[in-house]
Amino acid sequence: MLIPLPGLSNAGHAAIALLAFAVIMWATEAAHLAVTSLIILFIQPLIGVGSFENAVIGFANPILFLMIGGFIMAEAIRQSGLAQRLTYSLLSKLGTSPSRGLFVSVFSTGILSAWIENVVAFAMLLPIIKEIVLLMGCSGADKGKSNYAKAMILGASFGSLAGGFGTEIGTAPNLMAAAYTGIPFVNWMVFGFPLAFILMFVIWKFLGRIFPSEVEGIVGGNATLTKKLDKLGSITKNEKISIVILLFTISLWVTTNFTGINSYSVALIGAVLFLFSGIITWKDAQKNVDWGLIIFFGGALSLGAAILNTGAAAWLIQDLIALMGNDPSTMAIMLVLMVIAVCITQVMSNIALSAILIPLSVTLANAQGLAVGTYAVPVAIACSLSFMLPMADPTVAMAYGSGYVNIKEIFKAGFPLVIIGIIATIIVLLTIAKPFLA
């Protein structure tokens, strides 16, 4: 706040200072992310950014209720046992070879992650992934001695990140982009799912090559899987109810343009149906909803609103454009923003990063007369290309924590995938997605 910033209002100047404070706090995790968000709220009226009433507007954002509904649904699906049955069934149908097992690891977490938070999807399927590694007969997996275990654990982690690109609710940065752009749920799916499936396919093939399997398949083959499924027994009443509720909720998400029911309401409808059906109790929901993440997200939205409303975003973007020359192309700006996002997201919360970059991206697109999602969508996706380091994303940290893979191996596998991810995203957004970014 002591540094002169010509051409900026006092409120905008204070917002820039608050942005710098938030970046430092979130990047260093000097306090829990939610605590920093609480500070963001009460400090705004103290330093002249705006009133407290305006500061807490972020907590009225419907995106927060989409997150709450998603958390409740994820816990219900986990408790019902549906995720476990799905994985064993997929293996029995697709085959018992290492390649097919890796396919299940990548695509089961990826497809699930399109509908629920990627961290939740990964956490739900992690015990099953570990069991598949044991079924394959891998030795020394928890000591980092099994190539196949490395591929499986990173496949689940990277697959959950890639699958999250499929829908607006797939990752927190997607939610942030949806909040600022208002892109319809179905529109996002039109370009999101092709990108997600392209990246999941690349992850499946690439990890199979970089970590060639030392095992030939599940010990005992299909007979072992049959025993596992027999042990689970016939599909339970709770699993049947969960399938019906999940399919019903997905159908509502897909048909929002026809029904007029917005995606935020749909998430709550699904959550309430799971609660009323008895699949999950409110006490279970309370324990498993990440309320700290909700508070953090509200504070991040508050900061984004302050940057936009005080003119700070426009001021920052003008400087960015000036650095890039007189007439930078859309592709050049998109590439620069994505590279910045990818680099920073490896050492900083992708939610916090998206809270900073997405409002700036929306302002830049508006200034150039482009569709509102032109830069915000690729930035949101880049914020989730967190393949290179354990601190980049909780799913990668959990993969590292398994002991199956070390940091050097994560970087070895993740760096090429980040490059491929940037290229694939730009191609998809400049072709398939172009009419749907408004």
Side-chain angles (χ1 to χ4, degrees), residues 50 53 118 139 189 209 222-223 232 256-257 305 322 325 331 349 370 386:
E53 288 76 11
N118 62 327
S139 59
M189 289 172 63
R209 286 183 177 276
N222 279 322
L232 287 176
T256 51
N257 284 349
M331 184 185 292
S349 162
L370 299 172
S386 311

Side-chain angles (χ1 to χ4, degrees), residues 145-425:
K145 294 182 178 179
S146 169
N147 265 358
Y148 186 67
K150 297 178 200 298
M152 285 290 286
I153 202 74
L154 288 179
S157 171
F158 293 172
S160 70
L161 288 166
F165 300 148
T167 68
E168 290 179 349
I169 61 170
T171 70
N174 289 9
L175 288 169
M176 191 72 74
Y180 282 101
T181 63
I183 293 173
F185 196 87
V186 175
N187 283 21
W188 188 293
M189 289 172 63
V190 170
F191 59 82
F193 269 117
L195 176 62
F197 278 104
I198 288 168
L199 290 179
M200 285 191 286
F201 182 83
V202 170
I203 289 166
W204 171 42
K205 290 297 185 182
F206 180 74
L207 290 178
R209 286 183 177 276
I210 199 169
F211 297 118
S213 176
E214 79 281 10
V215 294
E216 295 182 1
I218 290 177
V219 179
N222 279 322
T224 301
L225 292 175
T226 302
K227 287 179 184 178
K228 290 287 182 181
L229 287 168
D230 288 344
K231 191 175 179 181
L232 287 176
S234 58
I235 189 166
T236 64
K237 180 182 176 182
N238 280 358
E239 288 175 277
K240 290 178 181 176
I241 294 171
S242 297
I243 291 171
V244 171
I245 294 173
L246 185 59
L247 291 177
F248 175 68
T249 307
I250 291 172
S251 69
L252 287 181
W253 268 321
V254 172
T255 58
T256 51
N257 284 349
F258 303 103
T259 62
I261 306 172
N262 61 47
S263 56
Y264 319 114
S265 299
V266 172
L268 295 181
I269 289 170
V272 169
L273 286 175
F274 274 115
L275 289 163
F276 266 116
S277 65
I279 303 297
I280 187 175
T281 66
W282 179 248
K283 191 172 286 186
D284 292 328
Q286 279 182 303
K287 289 178 184 176
N288 293 285
V289 171
D290 191 341
W291 297 107
L293 181 61
I294 302 297
I295 291 173
F296 163 71
F297 210 80
L301 287 168
S302 174
L303 176 60
I307 294 168
L308 283 171
N309 296 337
T310 59
W315 184 83
L316 284 170
I317 288 298
Q318 286 168 4
D319 277 5
L320 179 62
I321 294 173
L323 288 172
M324 296 183 67
N326 294 329
D327 189 24
S329 68
T330 301
M331 184 185 292
I333 296 174
M334 192 182 289
L335 181 61
V336 167
L337 288 173
M338 288 191 74
V339 169
I340 291 170
V342 161
C343 291
I344 300 176
T345 198
Q346 305 306 319
V347 292
M348 179 180 174
S349 162
N350 63 359
I351 317 170
L353 180 61
S354 64
I356 294 163
L357 289 182
I358 286 173
L360 305 182
S361 301
V362 170
T363 302
L364 178 55
N366 287 335
Q368 293 184 312
L370 299 172
V372 69
T374 301
Y375 303 127
V377 171
V379 163
I381 291 168
C383 286
S384 295
L385 289 173
S386 311
F387 300 143
M388 292 195 291
L389 296 168
M391 65 283 290
D393 187 85
T395 65
V396 184
M398 290 165 71
Y400 172 72
S402 69
Y404 289 3
V405 65
N406 61 40
I407 292 177
K408 287 182 181 178
E409 289 163 336
I410 293 172
F411 185 83
K412 175 185 174 183
F415 181 72
L417 288 173
V418 167
I419 303 299
I420 294 168
I422 291 174
I423 294 169
T425 300

Side-chain angles (χ1 to χ4, degrees), residues 59-185:
F59 286 88
N61 195 300
I63 291 293
L64 297 181
F65 296 94
L66 186 64
M67 294 174 67
I68 292 169
F71 275 125
I72 294 173
M73 289 178 62
E75 178 59 18
I77 294 168
R78 187 192 69 80
Q79 288 202 21
S80 72
L82 183 60
Q84 189 176 41
R85 185 180 299 277
L86 174 65
T87 302
Y88 288 140
S89 297
L90 280 172
L91 278 174
S92 65
K93 296 287 189 298
L94 295 175
T96 59
S97 70
S99 178
R100 298 297 176 85
L102 182 56
F103 178 91
V104 170
S105 176
V106 174
F107 280 83
S108 60
T109 52
I111 292 169
L112 192 57
S113 181
W115 304 104
I116 61 177
E117 175 62 35
N118 62 327
V119 180
V120 180
F122 181 79
M124 285 170 57
L125 293 172
L126 181 57
I128 300 168
I129 300 301
K130 288 182 175 181
E131 189 162 348
I132 293 172
V133 167
L134 292 175
L135 289 173
M136 287 285 181
C138 299
S139 59
D142 56 351
K143 296 177 182 177
K145 294 182 178 179
S146 169
N147 265 358
Y148 186 67
K150 297 178 200 298
M152 285 290 286
I153 202 74
L154 288 179
S157 171
F158 293 172
S160 70
L161 288 166
F165 300 148
T167 68
E168 290 179 349
I169 61 170
T171 70
N174 289 9
L175 288 169
M176 191 72 74
Y180 282 101
T181 63
I183 293 173
F185 196 87

